[in-house]
Amino acid sequence: MNPGLFSRRRVVIAAVAGVALAATIGAVAACSAGPPAGTSGTAAEQAAASRSDGDFAAGLAGASAMPSGSASASASAKPTGPCGRAASAAPVVRVTDVNVGTTVTGYAREGDTDPLPMAIAATPNGGSWLAWLGTNGKVYLGKLGCDDKLAGTPSSFDGIDLQDVSADANGGVLLLTRKGECHDGPLCGGSSSPCNTMHMIRFDNNGKQVWERQVTNLGSNLGGYDNGARFVWWYQHHGRLASDGSNYAAYFGVAITVANGSCVDIHEGDRMQVVNASGGLVAGHKDSFEVGCSHSWGTRIVWDPRAGRFAMVCATDNNCRIAQPHPYRTVAAGTCDGTLFGGDLVLAKSSGYWTAWSQGGQARLEHFGTGASDSTVKTAAKTAHPHLVTYGSGRMLLAWESGSSMAAQVYDAGSGAGVGAQFTIGVKDHNYQAFKSYADGSAAYPAAGANSTSIRVARVMPMA
């Protein structure tokens, strides 16, 4: 966190009620003209940059396969991995509608403070864990088989916002938020706002809780409005998980409480914490930090076994850029026009990383190592919210909204060159949800289903 930013951007809460804050960012101001996290300008500019939900085309109910390559490519498909998914010369998309039996939170405005409806994680045996946010203060977790259909009865956990899910051979970890306490501050200005906590929930292969660990720092003696608090406010707080095979890391947006005389100011940045296999915080981990980027959004993290480190990028209004936190290093320079968006982060083929980001409705790919980008690819994606995921060996998949569906393009993870033609993924996009990669070379994305109690899983089958 740049200490000078505290004096320049002191956050004040506008008078609002409860969680309605998340839907009315324009009602909240920052002192000294500091914009809300997730924007680089005014709320009006951000709204202009946000994509329209549009009307979701009907007629996609049930499971369907939509080949994106030629007929000959499909005919030459070969089974891969434990699930025997067919690998073809060109991407083939399979969409499966999963009836989860409970009401799933809708997409709403898809803003950077709005709840995330769903997330997916790959298991080592080729299946998945599917997580979704209910409308009853519960986060649900269900296991999917090789056919992307629900197997068994879902579990549920107390949670007011879902962030991410990750999996391993023994189960996995959920990242979610829960209600916390503010105490009385007092604030230097503004009115009260929710003070919530971020938690990792470890679950076993039956979807049952093994342990939980708060990765913010609230407790009985420390509320959100007490000096030194690190908590989840209304500000951008989305987060992602990564694992080194033993430890799990959570990287997320966080509120930062700082004493200012007899009252406190609330700032926003991001935080990374590492938790070990027993549920204990790993104190002094070389990659973890209390606060990294300031006024941060688009927090992305990946484990790099080649470098033995967790790598991260954020979007930040500190010089309006895509940056690496802890310490600050610019990856790509942006502008403060309200359209800066940080997409996903993946490993490059040999060394370094690729990140997708957007400015002015144009998606770019940046290759970088420990410093600034050394290669920029201006893609054909005219979008405010690109998604990027590893797609098999040496490839990555860029996807973005295209009408009521998504468009996608494969890229070489070494050179950044496009591979083959664009194709369609027949599900509705969400600004902040993520694709996940699978060991068999496929990639999957959770999306709004045929009705309020279903979720569509779009799987891009492996390429040969």
Side-chain angles (χ1 to χ4, degrees), residues 177-365:
T177 60
R178 288 177 171 166
K179 292 182 179 179
E181 297 294 332
C182 287
H183 293 175
D184 59 4
L187 293 176
C188 293
S191 58
S192 185
S193 176
C195 296
N196 297 321
T197 54
M198 188 76 76
H199 294 259
M200 283 190 195
I201 309 295
R202 173 72 184 179
F203 58 87
D204 62 21
N205 276 321
N206 294 314
K208 304 303 181 184
Q209 180 172 312
V210 177
W211 50 253
E212 63 179 74
R213 170 58 59 183
Q214 184 187 165
V215 289
T216 42
N217 71 352
L218 300 193
S220 58
N221 296 320
L222 187 69
Y225 294 166
D226 294 329
N227 183 45
R230 304 289 184 267
F231 68 101
V232 171
W233 208 21
W234 70 270
Y235 248 24
Q236 211 281 6
H237 54 271
H238 292 168
R240 295 282 178 88
L241 291 166
S243 175
D244 62 8
S246 178
N247 304 310
Y248 275 88
Y251 181 39
F252 56 96
V254 72
I256 305 153
T257 307
V258 179
N260 182 6
S262 60
C263 55
V264 296
D265 289 325
I266 311 295
H267 307 270
E268 193 274 352
D270 57 36
R271 175 179 175 91
M272 197 281 253
Q273 296 287 279
V274 180
V275 177
N276 64 29
S278 299
L281 285 171
V282 180
H285 191 283
K286 64 178 182 178
D287 299 322
S288 66
F289 46 83
E290 288 289 315
V291 177
C293 300
S294 176
H295 283 187
S296 170
W297 66 101
T299 50
R300 309 298 189 230
I301 184 170
V302 65
W303 169 251
D304 184 355
R306 304 163 304 185
R309 64 181 291 257
F310 291 102
M312 289 156 275
V313 290
C314 71
T316 174
D317 69 359
N318 178 288
N319 294 327
C320 294
R321 52 187 165 149
I322 305 299
Q324 297 180 74
H326 188 64
Y328 259 142
R329 289 151 292 166
T330 298
V331 172
T335 57
C336 296
D337 65 357
T339 70
L340 177 64
F341 178 84
D344 299 292
L345 177 67
V346 302
L347 299 180
K349 185 179 289 184
S350 56
S351 64
Y353 316 93
W354 287 98
T355 189
W357 66 291
S358 181
Q359 182 91 64
Q362 170 65 60
R364 300 161 176 84
L365 298 173

Side-chain angles (χ1 to χ4, degrees), residues 73-168:
S74 298
S76 63
K78 298 178 181 179
T80 61
C83 284
R85 295 190 177 107
S88 304
V92 174
V93 179
R94 184 183 74 190
V95 175
T96 303
D97 204 78
V98 183
N99 181 10
V100 298
T102 57
T103 302
V104 182
T105 293
Y107 278 17
R109 293 174 56 192
E110 302 177 48
D112 59 14
T113 62
D114 289 332
L116 292 175
M118 57 205 74
I120 198 167
T123 64
N125 66 1
S128 308
W129 286 103
L130 178 65
W132 64 96
L133 180 63
T135 56
N136 57 352
K138 297 287 186 180
V139 170
Y140 291 86
L141 178 71
K143 184 179 287 188
L144 305 183
C146 289
D147 57 0
D148 291 327
K149 294 180 181 179
L150 198 62
T153 302
S155 304
S156 65
F157 306 86
D158 290 336
I160 58 176
D161 200 351
L162 168 68
Q163 304 300 332
D164 198 7
V165 62
S166 186
D168 54 48

